[in-house]
Amino acid sequence: MYLHQWYQSLYDAIPDIEREAADFAQAEGLDRFAGAVGTYQGSSGCPARLPDYVMDAIAEANRVDVLPAVQIADEMRVLVKDVYGDEYDVCVTNTAEASLRVAFETLVAPPSMRKGDQYRARSLQIYGEDAEWGGGYGRAFPPKYRHFAMDRTVAGGELGIDGKSLTNLDTLFVRAPGVKYEIHGVRQNTVALMTGLDVDGTMAAMERTASRHSAYVSAVHAVGYDTPGWGFGQTGEGAPELMKRLGGLARDWDVPYIVDCATCLPVVGIDPRAIDADIMIYSMDKAGRSPIGGLMIGKAEPMNVIRKSMGWIGPRSGGTSSYGKGVFSMHDPGRDSLVGMLAFLRMMVNEPTRVTDPVDGMHRILMEELDGFPAHFRDDLIVTPSYHMGGIELNYANTWKGGDKGLPLYNLEDLVAGTNAIDAACMAMGQAGTTIYGGNVLIGPGLGMIDGDGRLREDATRATFRGLVKAFEIVARHAGVA
């Protein structure tokens, strides 16, 4: 059976897989958590509930008759400087995607207010999982990657991710040595299997590409996870080695280093100083549990430009801060989002164990439940707890070995199109949709595994993981690889 036929047979078996999964949930009593748990809160379409301390802060702010937004923004500014030093600053947008847009348009794209033709600029990044989010702001180079952002998530073309591209900005995609680029899934597309990424070889390839486009290089961009499934398995002091060396590359070329840490956390996560990042961007309603908002933390010089574009720099009448109009004031997060985000950041500074303890507890329970994983593949799993991502990465890409089929490797399109059989099994057990693609399972506590104070609910966590493990077992059996 060829690979595309194998995936088609799994797609055809989804109704049977769902029935088995639902029967298992009922027999094991997992159905009592139906509609109340999920493996990961990393989507703004299904974020975690707000913690009590965040909701209380928002309610308290709304009992104050006069509370200027600039006052909240400046309190956040002081908190960030307390953590990272006076050389760093902060700005907030209404979403992480808005933060990416602001960063790319202010720091990477060519200027538009000068006479004559615009020059071209090119952002440099690794061709890997999730690279299309930042990569979508430029036109793909080489042209063979023009499809990369075309059909991600829902809409394609001008109304999809591909339509984000900025005037005269290109994205240089660099293939990373050691990464396996393979076609997988029902919605057939390239899956970048990144656990074997060769750091030295990748940096040599990045240098060659930068040199070849030396007149145009305007930024280095990276996806900001710190786990093996995104190519960051080789760790250095305080941060993945690859992240640090990408920062060095940006310094050599005197261009911004922008790190998209959307589903990760500041404060308890990677320190921007450890990787020499100019800008780190977080989606604070994902791993963070604040109202939706994009948090940008970075060096004072590039952040000064970003703050001007958001109207956060001093008003014309004087003063160091404002909350006024800039070119990107359409991305204003609003006062309540600022209040909630500030409350969550304060908690991480003052009580970081409220975030780190659930990660430790989930890891312990997951390792116990993995005893039930298909035995043939158990030793091939890479389980990585990460405070940076506020959760765990379970990578199973190494189940494919020696030319034999392993556990099905779905892509992001499969997740959105409903053609991922593992996800279908979990949902049939009453769980929220999973985040499984590229051989990675992303796990976080936000969907029902923690209470309002942020403490881990062990019964709900164990039920969620038991269902996840069973989903893999059912699918492996239908795939003929159990």
Side-chain angles (χ1 to χ4, degrees), residues 50-397:
L50 297 180
D52 292 345
Y53 54 85
V54 170
M55 291 193 291
D56 290 346
I58 295 172
E60 183 63 30
N62 280 277
R63 295 188 185 97
V64 178
D65 291 329
V66 179
L67 181 59
V70 67
Q71 179 178 323
I72 310 303
D74 262 0
E75 288 182 44
M76 191 178 298
R77 193 178 194 187
V78 170
L79 183 146
V80 165
K81 288 178 178 292
D82 284 345
V83 173
Y84 298 112
D86 202 18
E87 301 81 12
Y88 284 78
D89 217 323
V90 64
C91 195
V92 180
T93 64
N94 51 354
T95 66
E97 191 65 54
S99 291
L100 276 172
R101 173 62 181 261
V102 170
F104 271 87
E105 190 144 5
T106 57
L107 301 176
V108 186
S112 58
M113 294 183 65
R114 293 293 185 271
K115 293 179 180 179
D117 295 336
Q118 284 184 321
Y119 58 81
R120 300 207 68 82
R122 290 179 176 168
S123 176
L124 184 69
Q125 67 176 72
I126 295 168
Y127 176 42
E129 281 295 349
D130 283 3
E132 73 278 3
W133 305 123
Y137 286 99
R139 296 191 298 184
F141 189 93
K144 66 179 181 177
Y145 298 124
R146 72 182 69 195
H147 73 285
F148 188 46
M150 190 69 74
D151 55 357
R152 303 296 261 182
T153 67
V154 182
E158 189 172 350
L159 298 181
I161 294 172
D162 215 44
K164 301 189 307 184
S165 60
L166 302 174
T167 303
N168 283 354
L169 179 64
D170 304 320
T171 299
L172 302 174
F173 288 115
V174 180
R175 293 176 88 89
V179 175
K180 297 177 182 178
Y181 298 98
E182 301 177 354
I183 300 294
H184 285 279
V186 178
R187 286 274 299 165
Q188 297 269 292
N189 220 320
T190 303
V191 172
L193 306 174
M194 304 186 74
T195 57
L197 183 142
D198 173 5
V199 173
D200 289 337
T202 298
M203 290 309 303
M206 297 285 279
E207 288 279 8
R208 285 195 302 271
T209 302
S211 297
R212 194 159 61 244
H213 299 268
S214 58
Y216 305 100
V217 173
S218 61
V220 174
H221 171 251
V223 176
Y225 292 98
D226 67 340
T227 49
W230 267 260
F232 296 114
Q234 185 175 327
T235 58
E237 185 176 345
E241 185 65 23
L242 179 60
M243 274 193 189
K244 293 195 288 187
R245 292 179 63 176
L246 289 171
L249 177 66
R251 294 291 75 73
D252 290 344
W253 287 85
D254 191 26
V255 295
Y257 179 30
I258 299 171
V259 185
D260 179 7
C261 304
T263 55
C264 300
L265 293 169
V267 182
V268 299
I270 292 173
D271 192 315
R273 295 169 294 187
I275 60 174
D276 205 10
D278 288 284
I279 305 291
M280 296 183 77
I281 295 171
Y282 307 87
S283 182
M284 292 303 292
D285 62 314
K286 294 177 180 174
R289 290 180 284 280
S290 79
I292 187 169
L295 174 67
M296 290 185 280
I297 294 174
K299 294 178 181 177
E301 184 178 354
M303 286 305 302
N304 183 269
V305 177
I306 285 172
R307 286 169 61 87
K308 285 179 179 178
S309 76
M310 285 292 296
W312 279 36
I313 212 68
R316 294 189 178 192
S317 58
T320 60
S321 298
S322 63
Y323 198 90
K325 292 295 182 182
V327 65
F328 291 115
S329 58
M330 81 284 278
H331 294 312
D332 174 23
R335 191 192 66 181
D336 286 351
S337 288
L338 289 172
V339 168
M341 193 180 296
L342 178 60
F344 186 76
L345 290 171
R346 278 177 174 159
M347 180 279 299
M348 285 198 295
V349 171
N350 297 322
E351 300 178 71
T353 55
R354 287 213 201 187
V355 172
T356 59
D357 282 354
V359 176
D360 296 335
M362 285 194 308
H363 182 242
R364 171 180 53 81
I365 295 170
L366 178 62
M367 297 307 294
E368 293 168 359
E369 291 300 322
L370 285 177
D371 284 343
F373 203 82
H376 180 56
F377 297 124
R378 202 175 300 145
D379 292 340
D380 300 316
L381 303 178
I382 303 174
V383 183
T384 309
S386 167
Y387 295 153
H388 179 60
M389 66 171 284
I392 303 168
E393 177 190 272
L394 171 62
N395 183 279
Y396 65 92

